[in-house]
Amino acid sequence: MVEKSSAAEQPAKRKSAKNGSPEYLDKALAKRALKDLGEDRIVEMYEEMLVLRRFEEVAGRQYQMGKIKGFCHLYIGQEPVSVGAMAGLEDKDYAVSAYRAHGHALSKGMTPREVMAELFGKETGCSRGKGGSMHLFSVEKKFYGGWGLVGGQVPTAAGIAFAAKYRDENAVTLCFLGDGAIHQGVVHETFNMAQLWKLPIVFIVENNKYAMGTELSRASSVHDLSEKALAYGMARAQVDGKDLFRSYYGIKDAIDRARNESLPTLLDVVTYRFRGHSMSDPANYRTKEELEAEMAADPLIRVQQWLASTQIRTPDQLNEMDAKAKDIAKDAVKFADDSAFPDPSELETDIYVDWSWDIE
């Protein structure tokens, strides 16, 4: 059984952090990461976080301009979870997400162009413009959604893990879900089967404190959600998802368990979203002071200042990276703007069965 980490205590301590002070990063793990991953790989991970942040900021503006229809759930503030998780994967591994999927799709290797075009509903989108924000998908990158139904992706992910084990792929499946999804019945049926069948899967609960507008303590009898694994004899841990290094190593341990022992793990990854649940949510259920405290300890700025303080990169180089990330996001918008909507004749394409009725 995996012991509970001390990560749960860290967020409270960090509320007094100013400008994401790098001293709030785990120094021991940062040193270990330098040895294990090297400076260049860590810089790449920071650049990936930057692209996620700038992509989502631009996507939010495009939504307000009416270019993105339907729901749109931004990932701003949660970047260390997605980047840290995917950094521990190999190309043969799988990932399945929920409706807050933009960050996961980009971290799994999908291009900003194909993701933004999908948000715009254009034919160049990863789902040919038919899925939108909540239905990002790439067989090539082994990213199987983007699911709109709360908890619906969890049994699907277990099925993918079962198939990978059945075919002796030695591949791991990551399943992302929110703290609001963990109370769904089908999620617990899946936990039971995953442990019973010893599936190579990691269930990553991105605990951003709020299930839509309901604070965790009002919805859950336990506050360390990894304790839900105890009923199934499953390995578990609580991970600090606001620290890139803790996120990487906390999730990597579970990935290694899945790959080397073919065993599942439930992770409660503590994070925080800076925006509302969706673009239509003003987030009036939390105070201005709470949000300001969390933003003062912005996980992106923490890594930026750590890179500068350790002289791995100069302030000018960091500014260049940010400018590059903004250009990538702008390029994705231009690509989406310039792309065409799907032809009306495509309406029936990729439907489960042939449409046998005449429609207009």
Side-chain angles (χ1 to χ4, degrees):
M1 187 67 63
V2 175
E3 294 297 326
K4 173 184 171 184
S5 75
S6 61
E9 287 77 34
Q10 295 303 316
K13 293 179 181 178
R14 288 171 178 160
K15 285 185 177 180
S16 61
K18 299 299 182 185
N19 300 319
S21 303
E23 66 260 30
Y24 287 91
L25 283 172
D26 190 315
K27 292 186 178 64
L29 287 183
K31 184 177 180 180
R32 178 182 169 187
L34 282 171
K35 181 179 179 182
D36 293 346
L37 302 172
E39 291 183 3
D40 290 344
R41 180 64 186 113
I42 294 174
V43 170
E44 286 178 0
M45 292 167 70
Y46 170 68
E47 288 184 299
E48 291 170 14
M49 290 173 62
L50 265 178
V51 170
L52 265 59
R53 177 68 61 91
R54 303 312 175 210
F55 180 95
E56 291 290 65
E57 289 172 345
V58 168
R61 289 195 288 273
Q62 302 309 305
Y63 186 93
Q64 291 170 329
M65 295 167 67
K67 295 182 181 179
I68 298 173
K69 309 297 183 183
F71 290 103
C72 182
H73 308 82
L74 301 181
Y75 199 68
I76 296 173
Q78 300 184 205
E79 296 90 351
V81 185
S82 180
V83 172
M86 303 301 184
L89 294 182
E90 299 178 12
D91 290 342
K92 62 185 176 184
D93 295 330
Y94 302 88
V96 185
S97 179
Y99 45 75
R100 198 180 308 280
H102 307 169
H104 305 133
L106 294 172
S107 296
K108 196 65 175 71
M110 295 172 65
T111 68
R113 282 187 170 191
E114 64 181 329
V115 174
M116 189 66 78
E118 187 59 40
L119 268 56
F120 277 47
K122 299 297 184 71
E123 64 179 0
T124 53
C126 59
S127 299
R128 300 179 186 175
K130 299 178 180 179
S133 170
M134 295 192 286
H135 300 286
L136 308 176
F137 203 92
S138 172
V139 173
E140 178 189 357
K141 298 298 181 182
K142 298 183 182 296
F143 184 75
Y144 288 2
W147 288 71
L149 295 178
V150 175
Q153 79 279 17
V154 179
T156 299
I160 293 170
F162 179 89
K165 181 174 182 177
Y166 186 79
R167 295 191 293 243
D168 289 326
E169 295 179 3
N170 193 29
V172 175
T173 299
L174 297 187
C175 177
F176 296 89
L177 62 154
D179 47 282
I182 199 170
H183 302 109
Q184 294 280 7
V186 71
V187 172
H188 290 267
E189 292 178 51
T190 304
F191 287 171
N192 181 60
M193 286 191 287
Q195 181 64 30
L196 179 66
W197 295 341
K198 302 186 186 310
L199 300 183
I201 186 169
V202 182
F203 299 104
I204 300 174
V205 179
E206 291 194 78
N207 179 2
N208 61 24
K209 194 176 178 180
Y210 295 97
M212 296 186 72
T214 304
E215 204 271 336
L216 178 66
S217 63
R218 297 177 58 206
S220 179
S221 59
V222 296
H223 298 164
D224 176 354
L225 296 177
S226 74
E227 292 181 4
K228 303 283 187 180
L230 294 174
Y232 311 104
M234 190 191 305
R236 71 182 182 96
Q238 191 175 52
V239 176
D240 182 356
K242 303 175 188 179
D243 182 316
L244 176 62
F245 302 119
R246 288 188 174 193
S247 181
Y248 169 73
Y249 281 109
I251 298 171
K252 183 66 162 56
D253 286 347
I255 291 173
D256 290 345
R257 181 178 303 106
R259 194 181 313 282
N260 301 328
E261 304 175 52
S262 189
L263 287 173
T265 303
L266 175 61
L267 299 178
D268 176 21
V269 182
V270 179
T271 182
Y272 196 84
R273 56 172 161 77
F274 292 166
R275 300 290 182 92
H277 171 73
S278 68
M279 285 299 296
S280 59
D281 174 20
N284 292 331
Y285 41 82
R286 59 186 181 188
T287 65
K288 178 183 177 183
E289 290 74 21
E290 175 186 306
L291 179 60
E292 288 178 346
E294 292 288 349
M295 294 184 71
D298 187 332
L300 184 69
I301 303 300
R302 278 192 228 169
V303 180
Q304 180 197 76
Q305 295 199 354
W306 177 81
L307 290 171
S309 66
T310 53
Q311 299 183 332
I312 291 174
R313 290 293 186 271
T314 66
D316 286 345
Q317 288 174 318
L318 293 168
N319 288 335
E320 289 174 6
M321 288 181 207
D322 195 15
K324 179 181 176 183
K326 290 176 179 175
D327 287 343
I328 290 171
K330 290 177 183 175
D331 173 76
V333 170
K334 185 177 187 308
F335 176 79
D337 269 333
D338 293 344
S339 298
F341 286 106
D343 190 274
S345 65
E346 287 290 304
L347 181 63
E348 300 176 33
T349 305
D350 301 325
I351 303 298
Y352 287 112
V353 295
D354 292 335
W355 196 270
S356 56
W357 304 278
D358 292 330
I359 61 172
E360 295 182 357

